[in-house]
Amino acid sequence: MYKIFYQFIGAICCVITLSITSQVMAQDDCVSGTVPAIGCVQLTDDGIFDLTGDITPTSGLSAIRFIDADRNIFNYTGNIDTSAYGSNGFYISNSTFNNITINGNIDVGAAGLYGIISSVSTGSNTIIMNGNITTNRYLGYGYFTLYEDNTDFTLNGDITTNGDDAPGIVIYHSDNAILTLNGNLTAGESRLLNGRGIDIMNSTGVTITNLGTITTGGADFNLPPYDIYLRGTSTVATLNNRQSGLTYYGKIPTNYNAVINSTSDYGKIIFSTVSGTTSFGIYNGSVLERDTTYASVIDGLEDADINAETKSGNYTYDGRTWAWNLDNSSANLWDLVVGTCTGCILEDTVDTIEEIGDGISSEFSQLLHKSATANFANMNTYDCDLFNQKGNCFSIGGRHTDVNAPNNSDSSSSGAVFVWGKKFSGNFRASVFVDQQVTRKNPRGLRVHNKGPMIGGNLVWNQFTNHRGFQFRIANAYQAKDMTITRSEIGEAEKGKGKTEIELQSYVAEVSYQFSDGVNFYRPYLAARHAIIKQDGYTETGVENPLTYNTLEDKSTTVVIGMKAKHKLNSTITLNGAVGVEHDVNNNVDKIQATSSTITGLTPVDLNTSINKTRPVATLGAIYYITPTQAFSLQTQYQELSYNKTSSKTLYLNYTVGF
């Protein structure tokens, strides 16, 4: 009965084919550019075509038709609505070696018609569907290939068939077909047969890669649905499957490979009415976890159904090799049991080194930002220039700094800042500062403790006693810290820990010129900064496979140019701000090189994969003068840093008094 039914359907298809072919001249030839609203027909060979535009064909005409057209590269971008009677989306007949890409959706309204039909040729056509296919009536297939060998169809969107007896994909008398499903397939219910997501009849050597999900409706007479349904002489050469609970009816694939992405995302298949044998494998690109059981990867097969030599083996990917075996856990149920891993400790250890590298980069960034803030090239914060007759100045304040770094390696710190200044003459003064950290948030994997506060000082010469005209400034900053670095326990990698020291030295020379209109003060400036950050090498302790790390240095020479400005709002409040651009004339950052007596092949890890040499910096603040020699100041600063995708913000509040 079923054979008679499908012969009947085949006859109908032939009638439709003849009817459509007789109307070839009803549409213009396909040419690159905007496609006619009723579609076009491709009749020529060896061309390259790029077509755009939506298509709504009239009755009896498919949107785009390939008739006796070979070796074309055909790209179509647009949406197809074939609600008219007798209209398919793409109709391909007696055409070979075409590469067809469809960027858009196909909606089929009439019964017995298809989103894409490829038929009656030696085949070898490649079709990539980047949109969705929807059919809405009886016998409306999403993709249909019949009497055509060696077709290659890739679905990057979804197929939905809403009508009865409408599998999502039908392969009929078409050998060596290749199906790749990156999207989802949803098929409607069936009246005459079991519900089918993919229906394969009298087609051999089919290859299916299912990376999406197939959902199949039920059927009358309580017939069970199947996601993949084989009948007649059909065979599947290879089935790669990611879907959990995929149902399969008929002769089992020659090769079955489970796709494994994680312990909760991996392929499981249920076989029914089986014949033949299969070779089990793991899909290339899968990522396994050692000492892990992936339950129920196969259901419905007896011991004799699986080739003995494929019930255990080694799977290699990305430099790692896992040992595995199939375990017949109960009845016809099989689990994938993964054991040891060779090479995992190397790759996992590199991953942990890259992770602590992110933390070290964040710490280096915070030191560079703090030194830039303290050294005045961008904002006058750690300075003291309110003097009384005795020429003394004292400032006390609080600072908070946030560093935004990639890979969850953000850090922050707060500190108390003390500054003392001394005026030696109307033109020459000096100051020293202490920045004592109070609280901090460490980057991932690091615990940082100050060996002492950041300290520094500066010398300033002004051309005039009112600070107009030229100003020359030299400054420096210094800080040393103890640091404990802990590697994460990732896979085979141990939770290694070691202690080291980190030291910063920074030097700045600045020349500026201040002028005023009486209310506003402007100071263009040019500065050069040289900074050295050094982290001592160290060896981990307390682990079976300790790593030894090299000394790291970050040396940079930076030129800064910008403008500072003040606006006298009234007799007590002055607003100030600055904008500038930093450019690294020279920037050298060492790579992390770890060595081990037990782990070979460790490669260097970059601290800064992409140096941001040119960066903006901006400040904004206000000063409230209680008296001419007493003031409160609030300053903010935003700065992009040389480390890739890293920026920082600082808020500084202080009280200054001359005495």
Side-chain angles (χ1 to χ4, degrees):
M1 176 181 175
Y2 296 153
K3 182 177 181 181
I4 294 173
F5 171 76
Y6 270 88
Q7 288 175 341
F8 175 70
I9 295 299
I12 292 177
C13 291
C14 290
V15 172
I16 293 173
T17 299
L18 292 173
S19 175
I20 294 174
T21 304
S22 68
Q23 303 179 59
V24 167
M25 299 307 295
Q27 290 173 315
D28 293 333
D29 294 347
C30 294
V31 295
S32 293
T34 303
V35 66
I38 64 168
C40 62
V41 59
Q42 180 66 38
L43 299 169
T44 60
D45 304 332
D46 302 306
I48 300 176
F49 300 86
D50 292 285
L51 288 79
T52 60
D54 297 339
I55 301 175
T56 305
T58 59
S59 294
L61 293 176
S62 296
I64 294 179
R65 294 173 292 149
F66 276 66
I67 309 295
D68 296 319
D70 303 328
R71 300 177 301 279
N72 294 288
I73 299 173
F74 194 95
N75 301 304
Y76 168 70
T77 300
N79 298 314
I80 295 174
D81 183 357
T82 65
S83 56
Y85 175 78
S87 298
N88 299 295
F90 265 70
Y91 177 86
I92 304 165
S93 177
N94 201 34
S95 301
T96 61
F97 297 103
N98 296 287
N99 288 281
I100 301 170
T101 301
I102 305 167
N103 302 301
N105 303 321
I106 300 176
D107 196 318
V108 180
L113 296 171
Y114 322 109
I116 302 172
I117 177 172
S118 188
S119 65
V120 194
S121 72
T122 57
S124 300
N125 294 305
T126 298
I127 304 171
I128 300 174
M129 180 65 196
N130 291 323
N132 303 322
I133 300 176
T134 304
T135 69
N136 299 293
R137 300 289 297 277
Y138 176 68
L139 293 176
Y141 310 153
Y143 171 70
F144 185 21
T145 179
L146 72 161
Y147 294 106
E148 181 175 75
D149 299 335
N150 305 303
T151 59
D152 189 336
F153 177 70
T154 298
L155 176 68
N156 294 321
D158 298 332
I159 290 178
T160 303
T161 61
N162 296 310
D164 292 333
D165 297 302
I169 294 175
V170 175
I171 302 174
Y172 183 79
H173 285 276
S174 299
D175 297 336
N176 304 316
I178 300 173
L179 297 178
T180 303
L181 307 182
N182 296 312
N184 302 317
L185 188 156
T186 303
E189 296 184 352
S190 182
R191 295 179 182 178
L192 302 176
L193 299 173
N194 306 78
R196 292 102 61 212
I198 299 176
D199 193 1
I200 306 172
M201 184 172 182
N202 293 334
S203 303
T204 61
V206 178
T207 297
I208 303 173
T209 299
N210 176 33
L211 302 178
T213 300
I214 303 173
T215 304
T216 306
D220 294 339
F221 313 112
N222 293 319
L223 293 173
Y226 296 98
D227 299 325
I228 300 176
Y229 193 89
L230 273 67
R231 52 198 150 146
T233 59
S234 296
T235 62
V236 171
T238 300
L239 171 59
N240 307 307
N241 175 48
R242 176 188 172 183
Q243 180 178 336
S244 177
L246 181 75
T247 56
Y248 183 104
Y249 178 94
K251 187 173 183 178
I252 58 180
T254 303
N255 301 284
Y256 174 71
N257 299 312
V259 179
I260 300 174
N261 289 337
S262 70
T263 54
S264 59
D265 181 10
Y266 62 92
K268 300 180 183 180
I269 190 167
I270 304 170
F271 291 104
S272 299
T273 317
V274 302
S275 63
T277 59
T278 190
S279 294
F280 176 81
I282 298 169
Y283 184 72
N284 188 42
S286 296
V287 179
L288 308 183
E289 292 190 18
R290 68 178 181 92
D291 299 328
T292 299
T293 296
Y294 299 87
S296 308
V297 293
I298 295 176
D299 190 358
L301 297 186
E302 298 180 353
D303 185 73
D305 298 329
I306 305 173
N307 293 324
E309 62 272 16
T310 67
K311 292 176 183 174
S312 63
N314 295 306
Y315 168 72
T316 299
Y317 177 73
D318 195 24
R320 312 178 192 188
T321 300
W322 293 266
W324 61 267
N325 68 275
L326 284 178
D327 178 43
N328 191 189
S329 56
S330 63
N332 296 329
L333 200 64
W334 298 80
D335 299 339
L336 174 63
V337 180
V338 179
T340 60
C341 176
T342 303
C344 286
I345 190 170
L346 171 61
E347 299 297 326
D348 293 341
T349 300
V350 171
D351 290 343
T352 64
I353 297 172
E354 290 176 346
E355 186 178 273
I356 65 172
D358 294 332
I360 293 172
S361 297
S362 178
E363 184 62 23
F364 280 17
S365 294
Q366 181 161 162
L367 285 170
L368 287 170
H369 175 71
K370 287 175 63 180
S371 70
T373 300
N375 284 168
F376 324 114
N378 306 313
M379 60 188 287
N380 293 332
T381 52
Y382 293 8
D383 196 2
C384 202
D385 61 354
L386 290 180
F387 301 101
N388 68 357
Q389 293 82 0
K390 295 182 179 182
N392 294 302
C393 178
F394 179 74
S395 174
I396 182 171
R399 170 198 54 80
H400 181 77
T401 300
D402 285 315
V403 173
N404 300 311
N407 303 321
N408 299 314
S409 294
D410 296 349
S411 64
S412 64
S413 69
S414 299
V417 180
F418 307 91
V419 185
W420 177 78
K422 179 67 177 178
K423 183 170 69 171
F424 299 103
S425 70
N427 306 92
F428 183 68
R429 60 186 172 88
S431 65
V432 293
F433 74 86
V434 175
D435 182 328
Q436 176 60 56
Q437 179 179 290
V438 177
T439 65
R440 73 165 286 141
K441 171 190 173 186
N442 293 300
R444 181 176 55 185
L446 272 65
R447 291 184 62 86
V448 184
H449 305 278
N450 288 353
K451 297 182 69 174
M454 177 178 284
I455 58 175
N458 76 116
L459 299 172
V460 181
W461 176 86
N462 286 289
Q463 183 179 6
F464 302 108
T465 57
N466 62 2
H467 292 184
R468 297 188 185 184
F470 285 102
Q471 181 187 87
F472 295 94
R473 182 193 304 266
I474 58 172
N476 81 302
Y478 173 85
Q479 186 166 33
K481 299 184 178 187
D482 291 320
M483 192 158 61
T484 300
I485 303 177
T486 303
R487 288 188 295 118
S488 300
E489 188 176 4
I490 300 176
E492 298 280 340
E494 299 175 282
K495 191 174 183 178
K497 181 184 291 186
K499 294 183 178 181
T500 183
E501 295 182 357
I502 186 171
E503 181 182 83
L504 162 74
Q505 301 178 61
S506 178
Y507 308 90
V508 167
E510 177 190 294
V511 59
S512 62
Y513 184 89
Q514 181 167 284
F515 58 94
S516 174
D517 59 8
V519 177
N520 301 304
F521 298 83
Y522 304 97
R523 184 182 293 277
Y525 69 89
L526 175 66
R529 182 178 66 246
H530 183 67
I532 304 170
I533 301 175
K534 180 181 179 182
Q535 178 185 305
D536 292 340
Y538 67 97
T539 299
E540 296 173 342
T541 59
V543 291
E544 184 177 345
N545 300 290
L547 303 182
T548 296
Y549 298 88
N550 61 316
T551 297
L552 298 176
E553 283 193 342
D554 180 332
K555 295 181 179 180
S556 61
T557 301
T558 305
V559 174
V560 190
I561 188 170
M563 174 71 77
K564 303 175 187 180
K566 293 181 180 181
H567 173 71
K568 201 171 180 179
L569 195 64
N570 51 49
S571 60
T572 59
I573 300 175
T574 298
L575 304 178
N576 58 42
V579 293
V581 176
E582 298 186 344
H583 178 75
D584 288 341
V585 179
N586 183 54
N587 193 316
N588 294 313
V589 185
D590 291 335
K591 295 182 178 182
I592 303 176
Q593 179 61 73
T595 57
S596 171
S597 60
T598 55
I599 305 172
T600 60
L602 292 170
T603 55
V605 172
D606 283 312
L607 276 180
N608 199 356
T609 57
S610 180
I611 296 175
N612 184 17
K613 286 191 173 184
T614 304
R615 311 172 295 273
V617 59
T619 68
L620 186 65
I623 304 173
Y624 175 72
Y625 290 93
I626 306 170
T627 70
T629 58
Q630 292 186 73
F632 284 103
S633 176
L634 177 66
Q635 304 286 332
T636 62
Q637 177 172 301
Y638 171 82
Q639 185 177 14
E640 292 187 2
L641 302 171
S642 62
Y643 283 80
N644 186 35
K645 299 180 181 179
T646 304
S647 62
S648 60
K649 299 183 290 290
T650 288
L651 177 67
Y652 180 63
L653 176 66
N654 72 307
Y655 167 76
T656 303
V657 60
F659 64 96

